[in-house]
Amino acid sequence: MTAISRRQLLAGSSALAVTLNGILHSAPGFAATPFRLPELPPMPDLAPARPEESVDMADPSEWAETKLSFPIADGPFGSSWPEIEKAYPDKGTEWLREAKFGIWVHFGPQAAGNSGDWYAKYMYDPTGRWGNKAYDNHVRNFGHPSEVGYKDILKDWNPTNLHPDTLVDLYKKAGAKFLLVQGVHHDNYDNWDSKYQKWNSVNIGPKRDLLGEWVTAARQAGLKYGVTFHHEYTWWWWQTAFGADTTGPKAGVPYDGHLTEADGKGTWWEGLDPRMLYTVNLREYRGLDTRWAPARGIFQNHEKYAEWYATWWAYRIMDVIENYDPDFIYTDGDSQNPYTGEKSGTGAKNDAASRVIAHYYNRTKARRNTVDTFSVIKFKKPTKGLVTTEEGGFPEGIKREQPWIGEVPIGDWFYGPGFIYEASSVIRYVLETASRDGASAVCIPMRPDGSLDPECLSLLSEVGEWMALNGEGIYGSSAWRVLGEGEMIDGKLKVARKGALGVRQHSVSFDQRDFRFTQGRDGAVYAFCLVVPEAGTRLTIRSLADDGTDKVKSVHLLGRDRQPKWKHTSDGLTIEVPRNHGHSITMSFRIVTT
């Protein structure tokens, strides 16, 4: 699908709808009675903006949570967290452990800036959190943001070399078993045929249902997939667009966040409301960090707008649930829950998240006659039915109390020039997460036109070769009793560096003492040496010392039928590295004990 959307196709032909559903939705129950998506009420009237930084935010600890009333599907899941936990099955997240490794499709029009993550926000900030790269790039490549705003980037963005079917084939060959596909980032632009957001990829820019294309490719390849939603941040994230340069020839000339729908008459965006892209001016609140994020507080002068926005947030997720049937949904944030008044949930306090998730599981149950989907809320305390993430890193120790995904980008979350592509960094990140009982998802940077750098193609090929040889110690694995051993630095195990994969991660030096462990489906221990020593080197795994309990029965180097020479003593398990072993980056052993 390219020129027209899935929604248009389904509306046009019942026979085509059956065929397309067969491609997109492998679950036989997808033809269950559709849920009638509600209409979004109009945006409430807003009071005139007050002077900047003239209003204190209310204290969220003293603010009651609003109980929203938007409709959700009937079913066994009630809309409170206790009701969700009670109804959620014990094995609803089981497939994630089996899949273990995925690719993060973090792609949208912000890639057009060639400036890394949060380009849309920082193109309006001459000083910027990390300097003025995004602003300078925007002025040089497109024009001043008072004249060419982000809305104009959307109009012209067209990733003509984006071919999800080809990319999914590459990702599958690299060993990926699932995808995270970006539905909407903080920029408020929906990458699908959105019922509730006219600023979307079918109406503006590529005129393609990008999400639909990824879903079709994933289903045809037999991969699980989830859709990610980052618009919890959005209603305060855009505050830079309401500013202006403070120096230079454009000082005081407003950026385009201030525009109204009436201003669009006679322009390319006539009939589109800029408030539905940039949201509304909240700069009256004291403590609202326009460059980064507010720490906490309730926007008490915008209570009705907050309820409306949270409803809009929910409806867009429900639209995707109904029309794309994802295997999981993902909400971005760094609070315990969307809309808490804390961190990314600043500004409001309501139960939108639990209502949406209850709706999701009820729809899954109706379609699939089981609940094998899950929801990701980053950083939420362990809650049955929820998966959490470790962004850009991994926990210090083994984390078994809640399923989790380690997520990391190569270079940055959106494309920029000069990224370092090293398969060893990706593989060691996979090992750091698997040894701690987590799954991992790696963001592959796509250029503005949707293509990959040649070095990135080579990286995917190397990772695929490694996973083909070593995957039995990753897929379906659990953490062993210890995560690893090796060199100690200040009393702690030396590990791969956290953060986006680049020079810092590749520069970490490991040696033959450094191991990570997993436990396979059948109970065997998998020991991954983080380097490949020369033939004849004797490796000693001290965590497998003979203490009179577990005895080593066999040792196999993955990819070889014959056992290497080994000896089990009170000092550890010693293994001699054989010749012509065929391993690169790491060396992996399957160890059976009695």
Side-chain angles (χ1 to χ4, degrees):
M1 291 182 295
T2 54
I4 58 177
S5 74
R6 177 183 184 278
R7 193 186 303 277
Q8 292 167 325
L9 285 171
L10 291 179
S13 166
S14 59
L16 183 57
V18 171
T19 301
L20 193 58
N21 277 338
I23 294 173
L24 292 180
H25 308 291
S26 57
F30 183 73
T33 303
F35 175 79
R36 187 178 182 86
L37 290 166
E39 296 301 318
L40 181 69
M43 185 186 299
D45 293 333
L46 301 171
R50 296 166 175 80
E52 290 189 14
E53 298 191 54
S54 64
V55 179
D56 287 324
M57 289 184 274
D59 186 344
S61 66
E62 299 176 356
W63 196 268
E65 181 182 75
T66 299
K67 301 297 182 183
L68 301 178
S69 59
F70 58 81
I72 63 173
D74 293 331
F77 291 85
S79 62
S80 70
W81 292 119
E83 290 172 303
I84 291 170
E85 290 196 85
K86 182 178 179 180
Y88 193 80
D90 290 337
K91 296 184 177 181
T93 62
E94 193 173 49
W95 70 258
L96 179 62
R97 180 175 297 282
E98 185 61 34
K100 212 67 174 177
F101 174 58
I103 295 296
W104 221 127
V105 181
H106 198 283
F107 185 63
Q110 288 186 83
N114 276 300
S115 302
D117 201 16
W118 286 31
Y119 162 70
K121 182 180 181 73
Y122 292 130
M123 59 166 272
Y124 293 103
D125 189 351
T127 56
R129 179 173 167 82
W130 293 287
N132 54 8
K133 176 178 65 175
Y135 175 90
D136 286 350
N137 285 346
H138 183 81
V139 170
R140 180 175 59 254
N141 296 326
F142 304 109
H144 192 267
S146 66
E147 300 167 347
V148 182
Y150 188 65
K151 68 182 188 309
D152 305 294
I153 300 300
L154 299 180
K155 176 178 70 75
D156 295 330
W157 178 62
N158 186 16
T160 53
N161 287 318
L162 174 66
H163 304 294
D165 52 349
T166 301
L167 291 171
V168 168
D169 183 59
L170 286 172
Y171 300 158
K172 186 174 181 179
K173 289 177 180 176
K177 302 293 187 183
F178 67 96
L179 302 181
L180 286 81
V181 183
Q182 187 176 100
V184 52
H185 201 246
H186 311 318
D187 64 346
N188 220 12
Y189 177 88
D190 289 354
N191 282 316
W192 74 92
D193 182 26
S194 179
K195 174 180 173 64
Y196 299 106
Q197 172 60 303
K198 291 182 180 180
W199 298 89
N200 70 60
S201 64
V202 173
N203 289 340
I204 300 166
K207 306 295 176 69
R208 294 165 59 180
D209 183 351
L210 301 178
L211 176 58
E213 293 179 33
W214 285 107
V215 170
T216 301
R219 291 301 189 202
Q220 289 179 330
L223 301 185
K224 299 284 190 179
Y225 84 97
V227 181
T228 72
F229 301 94
H230 307 252
H231 57 310
E232 173 198 336
Y233 287 62
T234 299
W235 71 314
W236 51 256
W237 189 83
W238 268 120
Q239 296 310 300
T240 52
F242 294 93
D245 286 6
T246 57
T247 60
K250 297 287 187 180
V253 179
Y255 305 142
D256 61 338
H258 73 284
L259 294 174
T260 67
E261 186 172 359
D263 293 319
K265 188 174 181 179
T267 71
W268 74 263
W269 52 276
E270 183 172 357
L272 293 170
D273 187 349
R275 296 181 304 173
M276 300 293 279
L277 177 64
Y278 300 118
T279 67
V280 300
N281 188 349
L282 298 166
R283 293 165 73 103
E284 67 191 57
Y285 292 104
R286 192 174 293 113
L288 180 63
D289 184 347
T290 59
R291 289 184 183 170
W292 182 229
R296 67 194 304 267
I298 301 293
F299 302 151
Q300 71 270 25
N301 291 339
H302 292 76
E303 187 174 4
K304 290 300 180 184
Y305 177 79
E307 293 178 24
W308 176 87
Y309 185 87
T311 301
W312 186 34
W313 174 89
Y315 283 5
R316 288 156 77 179
I317 300 174
M318 292 163 68
D319 184 24
V320 167
I321 291 168
E322 195 61 26
N323 289 294
Y324 302 87
D325 192 31
D327 295 303
F328 62 100
I329 59 173
Y330 168 118
T331 63
D332 193 8
D334 61 355
S335 179
Q336 281 287 308
N337 190 28
Y339 307 106
T340 61
E342 306 283 349
K343 298 184 178 179
S344 59
T346 291
K349 197 170 184 179
N350 60 57
D351 64 346
S354 60
R355 289 189 67 81
V356 165
I357 289 170
H359 170 83
Y360 177 36
Y361 296 155
N362 284 334
R363 291 303 291 147
T364 299
K365 179 70 173 175
R367 287 167 159 166
R368 307 185 182 190
N369 200 33
T370 188
V371 177
D372 57 354
T373 59
F374 59 80
S375 304
V376 176
I377 293 185
K378 295 168 66 173
F379 307 107
K380 185 158 183 10
K381 64 183 180 181
T383 302
K384 192 175 180 182
L386 296 186
V387 171
T388 189
T389 71
E390 293 280 340
E391 183 176 345
F394 37 83
E396 184 171 337
I398 294 171
K399 181 182 177 73
R400 301 185 195 268
E401 68 274 12
Q402 183 180 19
W404 60 277
I405 302 171
E407 50 178 350
V408 70
I410 295 173
D412 202 349
W413 289 107
F414 281 107
Y415 184 81
F419 288 172
I420 302 298
Y421 297 102
E422 290 289 346
S424 60
S425 298
V426 173
I427 289 164
R428 286 172 182 146
Y429 184 78
V430 169
L431 290 174
E432 296 287 14
T433 57
S435 64
R436 291 164 170 80
D437 211 46
S440 55
V442 177
C443 172
I444 303 300
M446 284 182 275
R447 297 189 289 202
D449 68 355
S451 62
L452 304 183
D453 284 337
E455 299 88 346
C456 190
L457 293 170
S458 299
L459 176 146
L460 288 169
S461 178
E462 287 186 66
V463 171
E465 291 172 4
W466 187 92
M467 292 295 289
L469 181 61
N470 300 280
E472 68 175 85
I474 302 297
Y475 302 122
S477 69
S478 303
W480 189 48
R481 63 174 181 245
V482 295
L483 68 89
E485 66 181 46
E487 182 182 353
M488 304 296 288
I489 300 176
D490 296 328
K492 294 183 178 180
L493 181 68
K494 180 171 69 176
V495 299
R497 286 197 176 102
K498 298 182 180 182
L501 301 182
V503 173
R504 292 181 66 253
Q505 286 67 31
H506 183 60
S507 65
V508 177
S509 177
F510 292 101
D511 61 35
Q512 67 191 51
R513 296 170 294 173
D514 295 302
F515 284 85
R516 297 295 179 266
F517 306 114
T518 65
Q519 189 158 27
R521 306 177 187 93
D522 61 355
V525 176
Y526 289 83
F528 297 85
C529 181
L530 297 184
V531 297
V532 179
E534 293 181 359
T537 302
R538 287 181 172 83
L539 306 176
T540 299
I541 305 174
R542 304 192 183 281
S543 298
L544 280 165
D546 186 354
D547 59 2
T549 54
D550 293 337
K551 295 287 187 180
V552 173
K553 182 179 179 180
S554 64
V555 177
H556 283 92
L557 178 63
L558 297 191
R560 288 173 62 96
D561 294 331
R562 294 173 55 191
Q563 293 194 50
K565 295 178 181 179
W566 59 273
K567 186 176 182 180
H568 193 206
T569 70
S570 59
D571 292 329
L573 173 64
T574 300
I575 307 171
E576 184 175 317
V577 176
R579 298 182 184 277
N580 303 319
H581 48 69
H583 283 254
S584 62
I585 300 176
T586 70
M587 178 164 281
S588 312
F589 301 91
R590 181 179 184 270
I591 301 160
V592 176
T593 61
T594 58

